[in-house]
Amino acid sequence: MISQLFILSSKGDHLIYKDCILTGGNFVDVFVLQTHKDLHFIHIRQGGLYWVATTTEDTSPFTIIEFLNRLTALVKDYCGSLSEKSVQMNFALIYELLDEVVDYGYIQTTSSDVLKNFIQTEAVSSRPFSLFDLSNVGLFGAETQQSKVAPSSAATRPIQSSREQGGKSEIFVDVIERMSVVVGSNGVLLKADVEGEIRVKCYMPSCSEMRIGLNEEFSIGKSQLRGYGAAVRVDECSFHQAVRLDEFDTHRILRLCPSQGEQTVMQYQLSDDLPSAPPFRLFPTIERDNGGRLLMYLKLRCDLSPKRSVPLYLVVLCAFSLSQELSSPDQSTELKPQSRAVVWQIPRFPGGTQLSALFKLEVPGLSSASMLEVGPVGLSFELPKFTATGLQIRFLRLSPIQPGPSQRWVRYVTHSDSYTIRI
């Protein structure tokens, strides 16, 4: 049983507080400053906020953690996004959700389909959504709909906005992959893992069955490799409990009846067997000059298609003051003494090109041991319209066909979870 629920900002500021069983005590400061012998604090961090539940009973902590994760997903669906600002602007809506979700400390439901019949408070958005606002163009759009592009805020609006838009039927599908790469100092790829998921966000007043077609040559494990086409392989794969797999083995089709809001319908993983080379390669050179400075020359190459361009953050761990020479005036560097790092920011890095930077480091008492203190290099990036595994959505169909106009959007994004290059 849950005694209290509260949401705190990253600084510990009090945003939301609910006393589920009228204990009469406010334990927000207790959580931030100290512990309490008779109270158990269980929390997660999502959207830069702490989501905390307290309990005095012998309750399973995994149950509370699962509930908090579902609560954050619920708040994200109804508020549009998770942030300190959205929580502050929608505190009345969140309190109404908590009243329906938890009754005297006992969890009732976290289903958006059930709650939509009871929640009446409309969400407050920091920026009203409009399909005619193309000033901030996003990346949504299947290859068969390249002429139609949705604003980047389209899939981050509250699910109740469908009421205001007269029940407009829209579905957004994200294929999101996270790369973990380790490259040795000799340039040999030591590790290359990909974790991916397919997310569906539904804004349909009446949800019908949806069929998602994946690559026909998609296989799970090497034993399932098919004998035709370019293989798209993953090592492990799991599905949401609402997904029906009766057509998956033969036609690679996922069937489900999506509920309003966001849900992850499929998760997969691939380890140490990427179908293509990693997108970035680094060629470092470190030496000493006659003035006793440490010279670090970095040549970075982007092996993506020339049609692609991506912003990139490169972090070099070191502990010295520096001057630099960059290959382009729009690039910038910053020394961060607290984190012992140099940040090289590249706002636009076209595929098929290479950039270079020369860092001159002032090192007191420079020695051979000082040169060993430099590195490793970490890269941070996000690649739109790209999947490292090659997974693609063949089609996205609704049955029966919706009575009104419907929009279906697909987005592919690959970003760096941990991309490390040793020097």
Side-chain angles (χ1 to χ4, degrees):
M1 184 173 66
I2 297 173
S3 302
Q4 297 171 329
L5 282 166
F6 46 92
I7 303 174
L8 307 179
S9 70
S10 58
K11 298 179 181 180
D13 296 329
H14 174 183
L15 302 178
I16 297 290
Y17 174 80
K18 180 177 176 60
D19 193 344
C20 301
I21 58 174
L22 303 178
T23 59
N26 188 331
F27 291 97
V28 175
D29 293 335
V30 176
F31 170 76
V32 175
L33 301 177
Q34 59 182 354
T35 59
H36 194 278
K37 61 180 180 179
D38 296 326
L39 204 61
H40 302 283
F41 292 91
I42 302 174
H43 74 280
I44 62 173
R45 188 173 183 182
Q46 292 282 357
L49 306 174
Y50 291 99
W51 304 72
V52 189
T54 68
T55 178
T56 56
E57 301 290 337
D58 189 16
T59 306
S60 169
F62 300 104
T63 300
I64 306 300
I65 290 175
E66 176 65 20
F67 165 72
L68 291 175
N69 282 312
R70 294 193 183 190
L71 179 62
T72 58
L74 201 61
V75 172
K76 182 179 179 182
D77 288 340
Y78 275 87
C79 296
S81 62
L82 285 182
S83 66
E84 182 177 347
K85 183 177 180 181
S86 66
V87 170
Q88 291 174 336
M89 296 176 65
N90 294 281
F91 69 93
L93 172 60
I94 295 174
Y95 276 119
E96 187 176 0
L97 282 171
L98 292 177
D99 288 339
E100 299 294 340
V101 169
V102 181
D103 184 18
Y104 202 70
Y106 292 96
I107 302 170
Q108 303 300 308
T109 182
T110 56
S111 170
S112 59
D113 286 341
V114 174
L115 291 170
K116 69 180 180 182
N117 300 318
F118 305 101
I119 302 301
Q120 301 299 322
T121 304
E122 294 290 341
V124 179
S125 300
S126 58
R127 182 179 180 185
F129 169 75
S130 172
L131 279 176
F132 299 100
D133 180 13
L134 298 180
S135 60
N136 189 12
V137 175
L139 304 172
F140 289 104
E143 295 185 359
T144 56
Q145 303 180 14
Q146 288 298 326
S147 60
K148 299 180 179 180
V149 181
S152 59
S153 59
T156 58
R157 68 182 190 271
I159 58 176
Q160 298 139 298
S161 61
S162 58
R163 303 176 187 173
E164 302 171 359
Q165 298 176 24
K168 181 179 289 294
S169 299
E170 291 184 296
I171 281 189
F172 299 85
V173 177
D174 279 356
V175 180
I176 301 175
E177 295 188 349
R178 298 174 294 276
M179 296 186 67
S180 297
V181 173
V182 177
V183 180
S185 57
N186 56 357
V188 177
L189 184 64
L190 303 178
K191 174 185 176 182
D193 297 342
V194 177
E195 293 184 356
E197 59 187 17
I198 299 177
R199 296 181 189 170
V200 174
K201 191 153 191 178
C202 177
Y203 295 97
M204 302 184 66
S206 58
C207 297
S208 61
E209 182 184 75
M210 180 174 63
R211 301 170 77 240
I212 303 175
L214 307 181
N215 310 62
E216 290 185 346
E217 62 276 11
F218 179 78
S219 62
I220 304 173
K222 295 182 179 180
S223 61
Q224 290 190 8
L225 286 175
R226 301 179 176 223
Y228 56 90
V232 177
R233 188 186 70 83
V234 298
D235 294 325
E236 298 178 0
C237 191
S238 61
F239 304 92
H240 190 277
Q241 59 185 5
V243 177
R244 293 191 290 275
L245 302 174
D246 49 319
E247 294 185 74
F248 181 75
D249 289 338
T250 55
H251 302 293
R252 294 304 189 235
I253 296 175
L254 306 177
R255 298 172 55 216
L256 72 153
C257 295
S259 58
Q260 282 197 337
E262 184 179 270
Q263 56 186 307
T264 300
V265 300
M266 173 177 160
Q267 294 178 306
Y268 56 93
Q269 182 176 358
L270 176 63
S271 299
D272 295 329
D273 192 14
L274 297 183
S276 59
F280 299 101
R281 295 190 64 185
L282 181 69
F283 304 92
T285 302
I286 299 177
E287 58 186 19
R288 285 184 286 186
D289 67 355
N290 297 329
R293 293 181 301 180
L294 187 64
L295 302 182
M296 182 169 56
Y297 180 70
L298 302 180
K299 184 169 65 175
L300 185 64
R301 190 175 75 192
C302 180
D303 290 332
L304 297 172
S305 167
K307 297 180 180 180
R308 299 185 183 275
S309 180
V310 60
L312 181 69
Y313 294 87
L314 185 145
V315 180
V316 186
L317 295 183
C318 63
F320 319 111
S321 61
L322 83 156
S323 59
Q324 72 278 338
E325 298 176 9
L326 305 176
S327 57
S328 177
D330 60 345
Q331 303 168 28
S332 63
T333 59
E334 179 184 1
L335 177 64
K336 295 186 175 182
Q338 292 183 348
S339 57
R340 301 167 57 91
V342 175
V343 179
W344 179 15
Q345 182 175 349
I346 305 170
R348 184 175 179 273
F349 195 176
T353 64
Q354 70 179 24
L355 300 175
S356 61
L358 175 61
F359 298 100
K360 302 175 182 179
L361 307 175
E362 300 288 347
V363 185
L366 180 62
S367 63
S368 300
S370 302
M371 299 177 65
L372 299 177
E373 294 181 13
V374 179
V377 177
L379 275 66
S380 177
F381 56 84
E382 184 174 282
L383 303 175
K385 301 181 183 179
F386 175 82
T387 56
T389 60
L391 179 65
Q392 299 285 315
I393 303 296
R394 275 189 297 135
F395 60 80
L396 184 61
R397 296 172 183 167
L398 304 176
S399 59
I401 299 176
Q402 293 295 298
S406 62
Q407 296 287 343
R408 289 161 286 177
W409 309 98
V410 178
R411 178 174 69 168
Y412 304 97
V413 179
T414 297
H415 63 84
S416 56
D417 193 20
S418 174
Y419 200 106
T420 303
I421 302 176
R422 298 174 181 172
I423 296 180

